[in-house]
Amino acid sequence: MSEAKIIDGRKFAAEVRRGVAAEVAALKSAHALTPTLAIVLVGDDEASHIYVRAKGRQAEEAGMATLEHLLPRETPERDLLTLIQRLNADDTINGILIQLPLPAPIATPKVLAAVDPAKDVDGFHPINVGRLWSGAPGMVPCTPYGCMAMLKATLNGLAGLRALVIGRSNIVGKPMAALLLRENATVTIAHSKTRDLAERCREADVLVAAVGHARLVKGVWIKPGACVLDVGINRVSAPDKGKGKTRIVGDVDFEVARKVAGHITPVPGGVGPMTIACLMRNTVIAARRQRGLPDPAI
Ligand code: NDP
């Protein structure tokens, strides 16, 4: 069997970013509107700071404005809620992103529910979650949206395909399952209590792994010809690169899986780049909707 075709997330993301930049330019000239994203980060989690910098940089490269609120770890929940209320009421802010994870004892669901659903560019507000499951237009979470965009571009329709989503988080697994269902796939959601994960994988025409467990999904579990999207980001030691060195790998054993799958995303360079590009897209969508404009074709 021939090797899987690599789904190049960087290429897809570059295309989305080009579309976003063109939309932003058009909004500026035709409507004097500069889409503006407020990014709120609480605490000193290193990975979160890296993500926030990348998001800010990409927003600015697309011609948007950003406003970063970097708050100390000990910020009381009520102060965070007050800031969100202020951002909700500010007409110059189109999108609000609360970088997760929030440090304890802040109640994440309460904070996410405080964001105006119209500015909820991550799609985590319960109203947007409900809209996604009921098929109404809302804000769709960025990682699943990016996965679905790549799936649609790769496969000739998803109707009737067996799809397995491994992971049931509110951020990735559940919204991914909702999007697959919307495309008429037959969807199974696996999680830490699932028995016979290998068997479920062998049945899947489309497999989305969003666990956070390095190489959990063995190559021999993959159905020949399946389309595999690997969302996982796991840092593992890489002695071949030198003492103490590490590398990022996904949830799928890529080297074996690529010999079996029909299509597969690499890690890095697969789902990750699309996630940030789709955040930019959501910010433009939010800004347009707030002006009563239709969604762009990005
Ligand atoms: P969570 O930790 O919130 O969820 C992990 C899910 O995996 C849970 O539903 C858990 O089940 C399930 N799980 C854990 N162990 C197993 C197992 N042995 N077998 C089957 N299922 C299992 O993680 P996230 O959804 O936030 O993220 C998942 C991964 O994706 C992480 O590596 C994260 O870094 C990455 N990620 C990547 C993004 C990107 O842009 N590429 C964006 C967001 C996340 P249970 O519910 O039973 O506990």
Side-chain angles (χ1 to χ4, degrees), residues 36-269:
T36 301
L37 175 65
I39 303 177
V40 180
L41 170 56
V42 187
D44 38 28
D45 181 72
E46 198 189 323
S48 292
H49 277 271
I50 293 171
Y51 287 134
V52 160
R53 276 199 294 277
K55 289 167 184 176
R57 197 173 51 241
Q58 285 201 20
E60 276 161 28
E61 279 168 10
M64 297 191 227
T66 58
L67 226 92
E68 281 182 15
H69 292 269
L70 305 178
L71 308 178
R73 197 188 189 294
E74 57 280 1
T75 301
E77 185 182 281
R78 66 172 180 283
D79 288 7
L80 182 55
L81 293 172
T82 304
L83 170 64
I84 293 171
Q85 292 313 331
R86 195 154 59 72
L87 297 172
N88 284 345
D90 184 342
D91 287 343
T92 65
I93 303 287
N94 304 109
I96 302 171
L97 180 145
I98 313 292
Q99 183 66 37
L100 300 180
L102 291 168
I106 293 175
T108 301
K110 192 169 168 189
V111 170
L112 297 179
V115 175
D116 178 347
K119 298 187 179 185
D120 171 34
V121 285
D122 262 333
F124 295 159
H125 191 286
I127 286 187
N128 283 318
V129 175
R131 286 176 179 152
L132 178 62
W133 283 99
S134 62
M139 282 292 167
V140 177
C142 305
T143 302
Y145 185 89
C147 287
M148 185 47 80
M150 292 194 286
L151 277 176
K152 281 184 174 172
T154 302
L155 298 175
N156 189 18
L158 284 131
L161 294 186
R162 288 192 188 183
L164 174 68
V165 181
I166 315 177
R168 56 173 164 182
S169 71
N170 292 330
I171 294 169
V172 190
K174 283 182 205 159
M176 187 70 233
L179 288 177
L180 286 161
L181 194 58
R182 198 188 260 193
E183 294 302 320
N184 297 312
T186 302
V187 185
T188 301
I189 307 176
H191 45 76
S192 67
K193 307 291 184 291
T194 296
R195 293 181 196 149
D196 305 330
L197 183 62
E199 276 313 302
R200 300 287 78 76
C201 290
R202 285 190 186 101
E203 295 165 353
D205 303 303
V206 174
L207 192 157
V208 182
V211 180
H213 185 313
R215 303 180 183 117
L216 171 79
V217 179
K218 306 299 167 217
V220 292
W221 296 359
I222 307 287
K223 179 176 176 179
C227 186
V228 178
L229 297 192
D230 192 349
V231 181
I233 301 175
N234 310 289
R235 189 169 285 284
V236 296
S237 70
D240 56 306
K241 285 170 70 182
K243 194 163 171 270
K245 296 286 180 194
T246 60
R247 66 161 51 88
I248 300 289
V249 300
D251 290 342
V252 178
D253 182 0
F254 180 79
E255 289 311 325
V256 183
R258 72 185 302 181
K259 296 188 171 70
V260 187
H263 297 87
I264 189 165
T265 56
V267 178

